[in-house]
Amino acid sequence: MPPNLTKPNSGFTSKPSPLCTFVSLIILLIIGFYTLHYPPGNPKKVLRFQQIFLSSASNSTIASYLRSLTSHPHLAGTKPSLETIHYVKTHFQNLGLETHTVPFQTLLSYPVHASVSMHFGNGTVLNLPLNEMGIPSYPSSGLIQPYHAFSPSGTVHGKVVFANHGREDDYRTLGLMGANVNGCIVIVRKGGGLSRGAVVKIAEKKGALGVLMYAEGDVSKGSFGSGVERGTVMEGVGDPLTPGWGADEDGERLKLEDKKVLERFPGIPSLPLPFESAQLILDSLGGPLAPQEWRDSGRSNLSHVGSGLVMVNFTYQGEKKLATIYNVVAVIRGLEEPDRYVLMGNHRDAWTYGAVDPNSGTATLLDIARRYALLMRKGWNPRRTIIFCSWDAEEFGMIGSTEWVEQNLVNLGAKAVAYLNVDCAVQGPGFFAGATPQLDNLIFEVTKKVQDQDSEVVATIYEKWKTMNGNNIQRLSGVDSDFAPFLQHAGVPSVDIYYGRDFPVYHTAFDSFNWMINNADPFFWRHVAVAGVWGLLGLRLANDPVLPLDYLSYAKQLQEYKDSFSRVLDGNISLSPLAASIQEFTFAAKQANEETKKLMEQEFTNDLLALKVRALNDRLMLAERGFLDTDGIKGREWFKHLIYGPRSNYESGLEFFPGISDAMAESKNMSQKDGHAAIKHEIWRVARAIQRAAAALKGELV
């Protein structure tokens, strides 16, 4: 509720008469009756508030938010980040929203010193630049030098071998050429679908001493192609000292030398390089000729893979220390179902200025909050509670959101309807969406109501999106934003939306307000479009009497996944358990859709009907939790979701059923009998998860 802006009228301070009290009671009873039985969700009123929301968009307002948020670098755990926290918190408070900060004390990682030098046979030494060119002095600008968070400190000296993207397949290619990375420094270019941590882990397994990593950038973008891509190399998500529980200041912590903690970090140092410095090393390589495919791809001028006569000395010294991070949470209480939560989140911390990543999303979230507050002043209240979440320390490994999810796991499991995530709201042209499948149709409906500002003719986002990639909705198997803990650990239906596939200043010092206005979104109309979709998704999920979750889309997707595996699996391995469970799930989804249709055709005229709606909504909300397994994914047990989650076998290209995918890869190193048994076990685990989801959707005990 907004704060009291006027003093109470003294004329109303005297004791009311009995008649006045009686009349007031009758009025309250009538209001209560109509609130319960005729909730403010009738179609005309709902459409009116949606229209007010869309018409109150302001590109200049979003631009002003972004300019303020990106006025200085704000890496998590540093003093400048406190100003950004205050800005976001004050914004929510000024709107009259119930706002608080949630502190956690977590392990973070910062650079102390780094150097890379080339040592030639004639005794000369060339020290390579490690920072972006054309950027003001790092200390005075507040920028922290490029580094890999959680890289171990160390100094290595050796010859260099180029390993393309650092994938297992790339090392096999090197082996066939007679190039050996054991005892060498590996240089790789970003790409190939692997995380930084996975690249370093594979190199360590191959015997490399250290890893130098560069991004090729886009030569057409001028100096932006010289950016240095920062990032984390820690495995998994969340604070490594508090795995599975929230990192309270006075809570339990593992020791830094604990085996579980050390397993999260690589054993060899790594460092990002500017493209120009990487090219100097590539030019010095001898050894076998690089494969034509490697030479033709990317911007690098590559001839040989190494090693050569030139030695490289590489030093990195970092500091791991406890730091306090702050999530900012603002709440709009639901009127009819305050114990059901629709969560809308974006992370706030950035490696540098963060205009794209992540504060294009932050500015958009602040504008949605502004518009929701406007609706409240016009008489709107959501049926369910809306929670705005501004996460901290995402760049270090989704730490802020993960600690919050772990701390609130029971309540989220019982009460969370959906989590709507936006990380980089605008990276460039074109709308993209990722989601769990029961939210597909809602995304389609909402994008049909929001205009696409990139179109030369009047068109909706849905229409433009359809011509671009056929309204393809990606799935959320990656561990690359704050939806990961909500979906992959807590089983909350999730969405992730954005404009633009990639951008050349990712995690570099060039990710600034100037780059945004000169390249990605000069007039901030794409920001307005994202806010329209994100905000309408929130309104629908918070206001619709029956939750707009369609599990027939999920059933169809599961069937497609089964068919994909049937094409790559050994014919002696049966998928019948999977087929049977998907059939059961499909039947439950059809029943739920039929029940939804019948209830939506009726008015809320009695308590029994309201209870039926509540019961159906609970089943729709809880069905996603059925895909969780208490044992988690083998080798990555924190990740509980058996349909969507990280996999170790990136070469299969299958971004679903991670346990089955991993078992298939591991079976190659087993006897046929043991390999088949491992795959069959994972098939049964997934089948049981789908059965649990079907039972939750039906709401019946088996």
Side-chain angles (χ1 to χ4, degrees):
M1 295 291 292
N4 215 354
L5 300 179
T6 59
K7 295 181 179 180
N9 189 322
S10 59
F12 291 95
T13 58
S14 60
K15 184 178 180 179
S17 67
L19 178 61
C20 182
T21 301
F22 177 76
V23 171
S24 298
L25 182 60
I26 293 297
I27 291 172
L28 287 172
L29 287 172
I30 292 172
I31 292 172
F33 177 86
Y34 276 90
T35 297
L36 177 63
H37 298 291
Y38 299 92
N42 66 73
K44 289 184 179 179
K45 203 166 188 178
V46 167
L47 290 175
R48 173 174 166 263
F49 283 126
Q50 289 180 7
Q51 189 55 47
I52 293 173
F53 173 81
L54 290 175
S55 63
S56 61
S58 171
N59 59 331
S60 61
T61 301
I62 299 177
S64 69
Y65 295 154
L66 187 64
R67 184 186 291 275
S68 297
L69 288 162
T70 59
S71 60
H72 54 74
H74 44 283
L75 184 62
T78 64
K79 189 174 181 180
S81 72
L82 298 177
E83 296 179 28
T84 317
I85 295 164
H86 177 73
Y87 181 84
V88 171
K89 182 181 179 182
T90 301
H91 176 82
F92 288 141
Q93 288 175 327
N94 289 343
L95 294 174
L97 303 185
E98 178 187 328
T99 306
H100 64 281
T101 56
V102 184
F104 292 106
Q105 195 170 64
T106 67
L107 187 72
L108 299 183
S109 164
Y110 303 97
V112 176
H113 169 74
S115 66
V116 177
S117 56
M118 298 175 66
H119 297 252
F120 297 87
N122 61 6
T124 59
V125 177
L126 176 63
N127 293 313
L128 299 181
L130 300 181
N131 297 335
E132 284 98 346
M133 298 173 62
I135 295 293
S137 171
Y138 272 67
S140 63
S141 66
L143 286 167
I144 292 178
Q145 67 186 79
Y147 75 112
H148 284 162
F150 299 110
S151 168
S153 298
T155 296
V156 295
H157 185 80
K159 295 182 178 181
V160 179
V161 175
F162 175 73
N164 198 23
H165 297 300
R167 302 166 298 192
E168 289 281 1
D169 187 54
D170 294 324
Y171 285 102
R172 282 194 288 269
T173 300
L174 287 174
L176 292 173
M177 298 164 58
N180 186 2
V181 303
N182 187 48
C184 295
I185 296 170
V186 166
I187 185 169
V188 300
R189 54 184 168 193
K190 276 298 303 300
L194 292 180
S195 67
R196 295 173 205 86
V199 169
V200 179
K201 182 179 179 180
I202 293 173
E204 180 182 358
K205 187 173 69 173
K206 303 298 180 183
L209 300 176
V211 177
L212 297 171
M213 198 175 299
Y214 70 95
E216 295 197 308
D218 185 345
V219 70
S220 67
K221 301 298 183 181
S223 62
F224 298 131
S226 301
V228 187
E229 184 183 308
R230 298 137 176 91
T232 183
V233 291
M234 181 179 71
E235 282 193 43
V237 299
D239 176 33
L241 302 183
T242 59
W245 64 91
D248 293 329
E249 183 177 356
D250 299 322
E252 178 191 8
R253 275 179 180 76
L254 301 180
K255 299 292 185 182
L256 189 56
E257 61 272 14
D258 189 287
K259 182 181 177 183
K260 288 184 178 179
V261 177
L262 295 177
E263 286 175 348
R264 299 279 297 274
F265 310 139
I268 59 174
S270 64
L271 196 68
L273 289 180
F275 174 80
E276 292 77 10
S277 295
Q279 186 61 64
L280 289 172
I281 294 176
L282 296 178
D283 288 341
S284 74
L285 297 181
L289 279 174
Q292 191 66 44
E293 181 184 352
W294 292 9
R295 282 182 277 163
D296 291 343
S297 63
R299 177 184 167 201
S300 307
N301 181 17
L302 179 69
S303 296
H304 300 266
V305 298
S307 58
L309 298 177
V310 176
M311 304 290 284
V312 166
N313 194 83
F314 156 33
T315 295
Y316 172 74
Q317 182 183 352
E319 178 186 23
K320 298 183 181 75
K321 64 180 182 179
L322 286 177
T324 301
I325 64 172
Y326 298 89
N327 295 331
V328 181
V329 178
V331 180
I332 302 176
R333 296 285 173 188
L335 195 61
E336 286 84 28
E337 299 181 70
D339 61 339
R340 293 295 179 263
Y341 307 145
V342 176
L343 302 112
M344 306 177 71
N346 155 268
H347 78 91
R348 183 186 61 252
D349 64 298
W351 289 112
T352 62
Y353 298 97
V356 174
D357 184 8
N359 297 134
S360 60
T362 312
T364 305
L365 185 69
L366 297 184
D367 193 60
I368 291 172
R370 176 189 68 82
R371 290 198 253 172
Y372 281 4
L374 173 64
L375 296 184
M376 292 171 70
R377 293 196 295 272
K378 293 182 178 294
W380 169 79
N381 281 102
R383 180 185 186 91
R384 304 175 187 92
T385 294
I386 296 173
I387 303 177
F388 295 109
C389 308
S390 175
W391 310 118
D392 206 350
E394 186 270 357
E395 297 293 9
F396 287 87
M398 277 65 75
I399 291 179
S401 58
T402 296
E403 299 311 303
W404 194 82
V405 167
E406 290 176 340
Q407 192 175 61
N408 294 283
L409 189 60
V410 173
N411 273 326
L412 290 172
K415 302 174 182 179
V417 170
Y419 174 67
L420 310 178
N421 187 71
V422 170
D423 193 322
C424 308
V426 179
Q427 305 177 109
F431 178 77
F432 293 87
T436 44
Q438 75 275 64
L439 286 156
D440 286 0
N441 288 338
L442 177 61
I443 293 173
F444 295 150
E445 291 172 13
V446 164
T447 53
K448 290 176 181 178
K449 294 185 176 182
V450 181
Q451 294 299 309
D452 183 90
Q453 302 296 335
D454 287 344
S455 300
E456 295 181 0
V457 297
V458 177
T460 64
I461 288 177
Y462 179 86
E463 292 167 332
K464 182 67 177 291
W465 181 25
K466 186 175 183 179
T467 62
M468 184 177 69
N469 65 10
N471 303 124
N472 177 57
I473 295 179
Q474 304 158 63
R475 298 306 172 208
L476 304 179
S477 292
V479 188
D480 47 13
S481 194
D482 291 299
F483 59 77
F486 283 92
L487 173 61
Q488 298 166 8
H489 188 69
V492 177
S494 297
V495 168
D496 187 49
I497 59 173
Y498 51 98
Y499 256 75
R501 172 71 76 178
D502 298 301
F503 63 109
V505 297
Y506 175 67
H507 286 190
T508 76
F510 296 113
D511 184 8
S512 65
F513 185 81
N514 283 338
W515 189 86
M516 177 64 73
I517 62 175
N518 288 315
N519 296 275
D521 198 11
F523 301 106
F524 283 79
W525 290 121
R526 291 169 182 161
H527 283 78
V528 169
V530 171
V533 175
W534 196 6
L536 285 185
L537 287 172
L539 289 178
R540 288 288 307 275
L541 287 162
N543 287 335
D544 281 17
V546 177
L547 289 173
L549 303 177
D550 182 0
Y551 281 90
L552 272 178
S553 296
Y554 221 130
K556 180 182 177 182
Q557 189 74 88
L558 291 172
Q559 183 63 45
E560 291 175 359
Y561 294 162
K562 183 199 73 83
D563 293 343
S564 295
F565 268 104
S566 68
R567 290 190 287 269
V568 297
L569 270 177
D570 188 314
N572 295 320
I573 299 175
S574 173
L575 287 172
S576 57
L578 206 53
S581 65
I582 293 171
Q583 185 177 8
E584 182 180 348
F585 184 85
T586 302
F587 179 74
K590 288 179 179 177
Q591 281 188 319
N593 277 14
E594 290 170 3
E595 188 175 349
T596 296
K597 185 177 180 180
K598 289 178 181 178
L599 288 173
M600 291 299 293
E601 291 172 350
Q602 304 177 58
E603 294 185 357
F604 290 77
T605 55
N606 59 68
D607 290 338
L608 179 60
L609 187 61
L611 288 173
K612 286 183 177 179
V613 170
R614 172 78 170 193
L616 173 60
N617 282 339
D618 282 354
R619 285 151 43 203
L620 293 169
M621 177 183 70
L622 294 172
E624 186 74 45
R625 319 292 197 259
F627 297 123
L628 302 178
D629 187 281
T630 54
D631 291 335
I633 301 171
K634 183 181 177 183
R636 298 174 302 288
E637 286 76 14
W638 186 90
F639 296 94
K640 306 296 184 184
H641 206 287
L642 297 191
I643 312 301
Y644 300 116
R647 64 198 191 283
S648 61
N649 176 31
Y650 283 88
E651 296 180 8
S652 71
L654 301 173
E655 297 185 350
F656 43 84
F657 300 166
I660 302 177
S661 179
D662 287 352
M664 290 171 58
E666 293 167 5
S667 68
K668 296 176 182 177
N669 300 318
M670 302 178 181
S671 67
Q672 186 181 66
K673 179 181 177 182
D674 290 345
H676 283 187
I679 296 171
K680 289 176 183 178
H681 175 62
E682 291 299 331
I683 290 171
W684 273 109
R685 290 185 70 205
V686 174
R688 288 191 291 269
I690 296 172
Q691 286 176 329
R692 288 193 295 270
L697 199 52
K698 289 185 287 188
E700 299 173 355
L701 298 174
V702 295

